[in-house]
Amino acid sequence: MTEPSTTNPTALAVEMRRVTKQFPGVLANDCINLQVAYGEIHAIIGENGAGKSTLMSVLSGLLKADEGEVLLKGHPVRGRPHLVSRRGLGMVYQHFMLVPNFTVAENVILGNEPGDRVHLDLRAAEEAVRRLGQDYGLNLDPAARIEDLSVGEQQRVEILKVLYRGSDVIVLDEPTQVLTLQEKNELFETLRCLVRDGRTIIFITHHLEEVMALSDRVTVLRRGRVVASLAIQDTDIATLAQLMVGREIGPGEKRTGDVTGDVVLEVSDLTAVSERGLQALDGVSFGVRGGEILGLAGVEGNGQRELVETLTGLRIPSGGEIRIGDQSTHGWSPRQFLEAGVAVIPENRRVRGVVEPFTIAENLVLGRHWKRPFSKGWVLDLGAMEAEAKSLISDFGIVPPDPEILVRTLSGGNQQRVVVARELAKKPVVLIAAHPTRGLDIAGRQFAHSCLLRERSLGAAILLVSSDLEEILDLGDRIAVIFEGRITGILPREEASEGKLGLLMVGARR
Ligand SMILES: Nc1ncnc2c1ncn2[C@@H]1O[C@H](COP(=O)(O)OP(=O)(O)OP(=O)(O)O)[C@@H](O)[C@H]1O
Ligand SMILES: [Mg+2]
């Protein structure tokens, strides 16, 4: 499928020369030079909005650079993603592009773009999936349906897709965000195998320890420019952090002080059924007190999404009860949850978090727009909206700082900032925070953590759903673990460790 290319051994796998890409009001890529050698694992890092995803879209042909040159294995790249892909470039985007009710093998075949001769030979695909799986530790049942796979397994399918098409330069945009520690280690092992076999990897991450553990070289972007490109043995985490943000970052804030509030959110014997009729929640019980953060750890796909939905009125429980303060929420609509003071940072910001075709200002007051000061009778008070938006934009460091910009054009991390800012501005009584720092850079993560701790000190009852154990251990007063829709243990912070939580996460009862 990949065109035979006479690769010149002295050429680079990827070379970008003076690439410039301007969006209205934003110089996303400013005269960028990037050199990636064959067989290298090359990390690209930078703060939210630094221009990483834009640069990769230019490489893949999805975006056309205003100026500059892009060479893939010595050949000039000009637009047309399918031509670039035929030259051997494979992209694994952060949001997966799989068809949920198709099998692994079917999705792998579908990965071939229109215009290719489509071989609908399922047997051959299944065989290839098996073989690639064995060669690179990407073990998957070719006949399994995507909807039955964990997020980590779905990511393996995305990688299989690019391997099946013969890609030998593979780009992964924030691939580790949704993975647990173990899945992350497996992914790294796979990537190492791939380069050993002569492939080249470019990956984007906000986690510097991943850069140090995995890559050979790292290129640092700041505000659209390359500020450094270094061999990994010549640098360290502190230097990279400094290069990225241009100043030193202190350690993050941690939880202090005891919890004394009353139980505000109480869940008893809650059950819920998934879209596919499976038992998603099976007798879940816990309480969260005012001024407390209850961390909920677990491998993604063990009922967390359904739990968050029932706690916000988006899914009707099949049994059990949710109480907020002294009220039963039986039969409540999402609006009633909202009015009772329940705020939610949802796990999937692209589906439930932001309204992409709306402006930043509109997104920031969503859910409060019918109330004073934003609404006067039937009309919106645009002045009040803009003032509120400007203050949240500055508090949360949303870039670009313009209330009238459409959220669709924001970088991933800046969209996440919009959601976090909006929900915290509601001054919630109960805050359900699902993966609140996913996609945020180091400073953004620290800022979000200090916001959660501030809400805690103001007396909010907070449920922090996260697969990031470090985050849960830093912030949680107590830590619950969910596995297959059941709570397998609730530990006070003092008794919790990554090891203990890890065991509970795979189903070992306390
Ligand atoms: N289609 C677009 N229209 C207008 N501006 C855009 C568009 N796409 C990106 N931008 C802007 O370009 C800049 C770089 O965005 P990009 O998505 O490349 O950042 P990033 O480094 O990937 O950030 P993150 O870590 O948050 O994903 C941002 O300021 C963003 O707002
Ligand atoms: Mg990005």
Side-chain angles (χ1 to χ4, degrees), residues 23-24 26-29 46-55 63 173-174 204 206 221 399-400 408-414 417 439 441:
F23 291 116
V26 181
L27 192 50
N29 289 163
E47 290 191 288
N48 293 135
K52 306 177 293 294
S53 298
T54 302
L55 190 67
L63 284 175
D173 195 347
E174 299 193 38
I204 297 177
H206 290 293
L221 300 188
V399 177
R408 177 167 50 76
T409 70
L410 293 183
S411 79
N414 281 293
R417 279 177 165 78
D441 58 31

Side-chain angles (χ1 to χ4, degrees), residues 95-109:
H95 40 105
F96 304 143
M97 313 231 186
L98 302 170
V99 187
N101 54 354
F102 278 28
T103 66
V104 170
E106 286 165 342
N107 269 278
V108 165
I109 298 177

Side-chain angles (χ1 to χ4, degrees), residues 294-299 302 304 469 472 478-491 496-497 500-509:
L294 177 68
L296 184 68
V299 176
N302 276 282
Q304 294 96 321
L469 290 183
I472 285 209
R478 287 180 304 138
I479 295 150
V481 180
I482 191 166
F483 174 70
E484 292 185 346
R486 277 178 234 131
I487 301 288
T488 47
I490 301 186
L491 303 172
S497 63
K500 270 191 199 168
L501 295 176
L503 278 176
L504 292 168
M505 279 164 64
V506 294
R509 284 256 171 199

